[in-house]
Amino acid sequence: MTTSPGRTTRRPRLPRGALTPERIVDASLRLLDEQGADGFTMPRLGKALGADQTAVYRHFAGKDEILLAVADRLLEEAFDGFSAQPHWSDTLADVCRRVRGAYLAHPAAAALSGPRTTRRSAEMRAADAVIGALGDAGFSPAEAALLYRVVADFALLWSGGEAAFHSLDAETKAHEADGWNRAYRAADPAEYPHIHRVRDRLFEVDSGDVFETALRLLLDSMERRAPDAPGAARG
């Protein structure tokens, strides 16, 4: 498109009334995916929406409230197609894997918003699913409340930590991996004999295997603790 001298080309503007909370969250998530946490600013969000940034404040009080909505969107994506499994521990495993998958798909968004309490519908559905599975296991309300926090914190904090690493720029990630590699491979066998013994094996461990092992350890302990488990303590 050409313009006459002295005139600038204006970007397309949304029609009045077309800006919605859903569209703002969509654009925010895309911006975080494409430009990372540092690139997520209100002026850039306004540009991505084709609207003045001040128009966003008609739907959200500020950037923090947008991030809470983004956090809930990640849970919404995680639970798309979710249904409870025949056994309660399989339901909990599915929940944790779904959260991790959604967070790794949107690492910058997860790193910023993952640990937050969104107080929105997707979070409430996720919480209800986990507590329902714990109820199916026979845990008392007090025990179910405690174990809900254990499962939720494991899924969110573990996945958020992984996402935070993946949200780093490529150079920083490579530097971290190289530094860890060199430090552990060069460990003095006299000072760190146990590290030295497994030093080569350390680099064969995949992050997915680490997650699955931790998840299995958590669920195995919960299965032993469940009221219907053989030898389980009765409250």
Side-chain angles (χ1 to χ4, degrees):
M1 177 179 178
T2 59
T3 58
S4 58
R7 299 183 63 183
T8 59
T9 303
R10 294 183 178 183
R11 62 178 179 267
R13 288 286 185 176
L14 286 175
R16 182 177 295 276
L19 191 62
T20 64
E22 292 75 18
R23 182 168 286 188
I24 294 168
V25 173
D26 287 344
S28 298
L29 192 53
R30 283 196 304 272
L31 192 58
L32 285 162
D33 286 344
E34 293 168 2
Q35 301 195 30
D38 292 340
F40 181 62
T41 66
M42 296 303 289
R44 286 179 177 172
L45 178 58
K47 184 176 180 180
L49 288 163
D52 192 285
Q53 69 183 70
T54 58
V56 174
Y57 296 116
R58 290 199 290 269
H59 302 278
F60 292 98
K63 184 177 177 180
D64 191 65
E65 190 175 351
I66 296 173
L67 288 175
L68 292 179
V70 168
D72 209 59
R73 172 64 63 81
L74 296 185
L75 291 176
E76 187 178 308
E77 288 191 12
F79 280 81
D80 182 34
F82 169 81
S83 61
Q85 303 296 310
H87 193 272
W88 62 271
S89 68
D90 292 331
T91 297
L92 297 181
D94 186 37
V95 166
C96 293
R97 289 173 184 136
R98 284 171 172 271
V99 170
R100 179 174 182 260
Y103 276 29
L104 293 183
H106 305 286
L112 282 179
S113 64
R116 306 295 300 278
T117 301
T118 75
R119 306 182 299 278
R120 288 167 166 79
S121 59
E123 180 184 279
M124 300 300 287
R125 289 195 301 272
D128 198 64
V130 172
I131 294 170
L134 294 168
D136 291 343
F139 290 110
S140 69
E143 189 85 341
L146 172 63
L147 293 177
Y148 158 68
R149 286 293 307 275
V150 170
V151 173
D153 286 0
F154 170 79
L156 294 172
L157 297 179
W158 184 294
S159 303
E162 253 192 296
F165 176 77
H166 285 284
S167 70
L168 298 172
D169 62 83
E171 183 179 353
T172 303
K173 282 192 289 187
H175 180 73
E176 285 291 313
D178 181 60
W180 191 73
N181 188 336
R182 286 187 288 108
Y184 280 76
R185 285 194 188 279
D188 183 352
E191 189 173 2
Y192 307 109
H194 306 302
I195 293 176
H196 183 77
R197 183 172 63 88
V198 302
R199 66 191 184 284
D200 292 327
R201 296 293 185 185
L202 286 173
F203 304 99
E204 298 173 1
V205 177
D206 176 79
S207 59
D209 292 336
V210 176
F211 172 80
E212 288 295 329
T213 300
L215 177 59
R216 191 67 263 161
L217 290 170
L218 173 63
L219 295 177
D220 284 349
S221 68
M222 291 174 65
E223 287 177 347
R224 290 192 296 272
R225 186 173 176 144
D228 60 354
R234 295 292 188 263

